[in-house]
């Protein structure tokens, strides 16, 4: 039985007030463009990100894929980080479904891509090569808020070389909260930005792709092709609107709880904690105790994930400071 679920910010359940917003939603057939709640969500998200238009999609994966396919055609290429979600964690969709070649680049220790590496990866116009069309970045990346100056420089580099730009902003509001700026600042210069409603914002489903109107129109056609044209989907858009209104400013609480967790876990020599920027915390557990420690957490109802030998603890609106303290007590019981 899971008592406190730190696996991901996707595990949140819709609150009673969000469920009420869902029940009250005005709806229509969104494929016909008739759903007023979807329209409001698309407009509101675009406005918050400083873009002209928005498109509601069922998932962040489909939103990224629709964006990549709107920017790139068959035989084109996108430059992307090795650990970027739209390269590594989306089942190769861009290549499989879009015939788009990824050009992955290793990240620097701080999560950025070295601009020299990006530049070196841009192919000259030569029939041997795929056509490099797009630079895709992600912020936050693995919970890290990448600096605005880096984002600006990367976008400028792309522009100078005639590339379009896409931002996987699944957690762009976490990035903005951590950087202390409005989300539109994080989105500056990007042609498209994908925003998830179903992560820290607490909605059950949904992402919004925002950008220039012609790109969003193209993505709308691709969404239909991918099977993402939904009908009376205002019931889900209502949850998204509720999330944007009520669950953005409280992301700071999640960040504070991740910090609290980081400080608590750092007290144990077997735990090497990477200080969190936002709501995602990575912990290396000493190999000699890792298996027993993981079993202890599981037996006491504390759920975390382990990837690449690191534990990942994620805070969100269904784990408060008391849950963090309860988890720390269970950790302490193992080490004492
Ligand atoms: C950075 C990032 N982008 C995109 C996605 C994909 O979102 P979804 O699970 O809604 O497809 C995720 C999901 O965890 C993510 O973390």
């Amino acid at each position: 039985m899971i008592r406190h679920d730190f696996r991901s910010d996707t595990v949140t359940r819709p609150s009673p007030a969000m469920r009420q917003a869902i029940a009250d939603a005005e709806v229509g057939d969104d494929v016909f463009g008739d759903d007023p709640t979807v329209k409001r969500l698309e407009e509101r998200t675009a406005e918050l990100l400083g873009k002209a238009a928005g498109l509601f999609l069922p998932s962040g994966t489909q939103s990224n894929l629709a964006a990549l396919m709107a920017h790139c055609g068959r035989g084109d290429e996108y430059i992307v980080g090795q650990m970027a979600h739209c390269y590594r964690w989306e089942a190769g969709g861009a290549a499989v479904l879009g015939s788009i070649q990824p050009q992955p680049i290793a990240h620097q220790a701080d999560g950025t891509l070295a601009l020299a590496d990006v530049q070196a990866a841009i192919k000259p116009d030569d029939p041997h090569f795929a056509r490099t069309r797009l630079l895709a970045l992600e912020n936050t990346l693995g919970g890290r808020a990448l600096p605005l100056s880096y984002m600006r420089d990367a976008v400028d580099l792309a522009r100078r070389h005639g590339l379009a730009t896409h931002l996987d902003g699944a957690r762009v509001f976490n990035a903005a909260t951590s950087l202390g700026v409005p989300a539109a600042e994080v989105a500056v210069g990007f042609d498209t930005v994908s925003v998830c409603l179903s992560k820290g914002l607490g909605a059950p489903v949904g992402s919004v792709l925002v950008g220039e109107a012609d790109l969003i129109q193209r993505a709308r056609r691709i969404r239909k092709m991918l099977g993402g044209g939904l009908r009376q989907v205002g019931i889900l858009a209502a949850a998204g609107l509720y999330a944007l209104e009520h669950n953005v400013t409280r992301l700071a609480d999640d960040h504070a709880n991740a910090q609290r967790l980081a400080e608590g876990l750092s007290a144990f020599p077997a735990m090497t904690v990477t200080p969190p920027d936002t709501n995602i915390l990575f912990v290396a557990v000493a190999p000699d105790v890792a298996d027993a420690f993981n079993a202890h957490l599981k037996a006491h109802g504390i759920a975390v994930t382990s990837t690449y030998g690191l534990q990942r603890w994620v805070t969100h609106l269904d784990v408060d400071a008391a849950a963090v303290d309860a988890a720390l007590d269970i950790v302490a019981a193992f080490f004492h």
Side-chain angles (χ1 to χ4, degrees), residues 78-92 102-114 117-118 121 135-138 141-142 146 150 168 308:
Y78 70 114
I79 296 176
V80 64
Q82 278 283 357
M83 296 305 290
H85 205 278
C86 71
Y87 167 61
R88 183 172 284 254
W89 302 94
E90 295 181 5
Q103 168 60 73
I105 288 184
H107 296 271
Q108 301 298 296
D110 63 0
T112 61
L113 303 179
D117 291 348
V118 173
L135 174 65
L137 299 182
E138 185 174 316
L141 176 87
L146 304 183
Y150 158 71
D168 180 351
Y308 300 109

Side-chain angles (χ1 to χ4, degrees), residues 14-264:
S15 64
M18 183 180 277
R19 285 170 187 264
Q20 192 58 52
I22 290 171
D24 293 344
E26 197 187 339
V27 298
D29 186 328
D30 185 50
V31 176
F32 289 147
D34 286 351
D35 194 305
T37 311
V38 172
K39 284 202 171 114
R40 275 202 292 132
L41 173 66
E42 291 175 341
E43 284 163 16
R44 178 69 183 135
T45 314
E47 180 187 21
L48 287 170
L49 273 295
K51 303 297 178 198
L55 178 68
F56 186 44
L57 297 105
S59 70
T61 300
Q62 192 177 95
S63 180
N64 278 333
L65 179 58
L68 295 178
M69 290 176 70
H71 287 293
C72 301
R74 182 175 164 83
D76 289 346
E77 173 183 83
Y78 70 114
I79 296 176
V80 64
Q82 278 283 357
M83 296 305 290
H85 205 278
C86 71
Y87 167 61
R88 183 172 284 254
W89 302 94
E90 295 181 5
V96 176
L97 302 170
S99 299
I100 307 163
Q101 167 169 289
Q103 168 60 73
I105 288 184
H107 296 271
Q108 301 298 296
D110 63 0
T112 61
L113 303 179
L115 297 187
D117 291 348
V118 173
Q119 181 152 353
I122 300 172
K123 314 284 186 295
D125 182 6
D126 176 314
H128 290 88
F129 301 130
R131 291 169 299 249
T132 313
R133 287 272 192 245
L134 175 73
L135 174 65
L137 299 182
E138 185 174 316
N139 205 355
T140 61
L141 176 87
R144 217 185 279 243
L146 304 183
L148 293 179
S149 57
Y150 158 71
M151 306 281 284
R152 302 274 196 277
D153 290 346
V155 164
D156 286 350
L157 174 72
R159 287 275 170 278
R160 284 202 304 279
H161 290 84
L163 306 189
T165 49
H166 171 67
L167 177 67
D168 180 351
R171 297 184 180 80
V172 70
F173 289 104
N174 294 89
T177 302
S178 173
L179 296 166
V181 297
E185 278 291 305
V186 185
V188 163
F190 286 90
D191 298 307
T192 48
V193 182
S194 173
V195 180
C196 285
L197 303 163
S198 59
K199 306 207 159 50
L201 299 186
V205 173
S207 289
V208 183
L209 181 69
V210 299
E212 291 311 314
D214 57 336
L215 276 165
I216 295 303
Q217 197 47 37
R218 227 180 299 169
R220 191 175 290 278
R221 174 183 288 269
I222 293 163
R223 181 187 71 174
K224 190 78 185 82
M225 189 196 304
L226 297 174
L230 305 177
R231 303 296 175 171
Q232 287 72 28
V233 72
I235 54 173
L236 297 177
L241 277 166
Y242 181 92
L244 289 176
E245 198 176 327
H246 295 95
N247 292 346
V248 172
T249 50
R250 62 152 308 286
L251 290 173
D253 299 343
D254 296 343
H255 297 188
N257 285 334
Q259 192 59 45
R260 186 184 187 97
L261 194 52
E263 284 162 16

Side-chain angles (χ1 to χ4, degrees), residues 290-305:
D291 287 348
F293 180 59
N294 283 332
H296 173 83
L297 290 182
K298 194 169 175 200
H300 289 83
I302 303 298
V304 299
T305 57

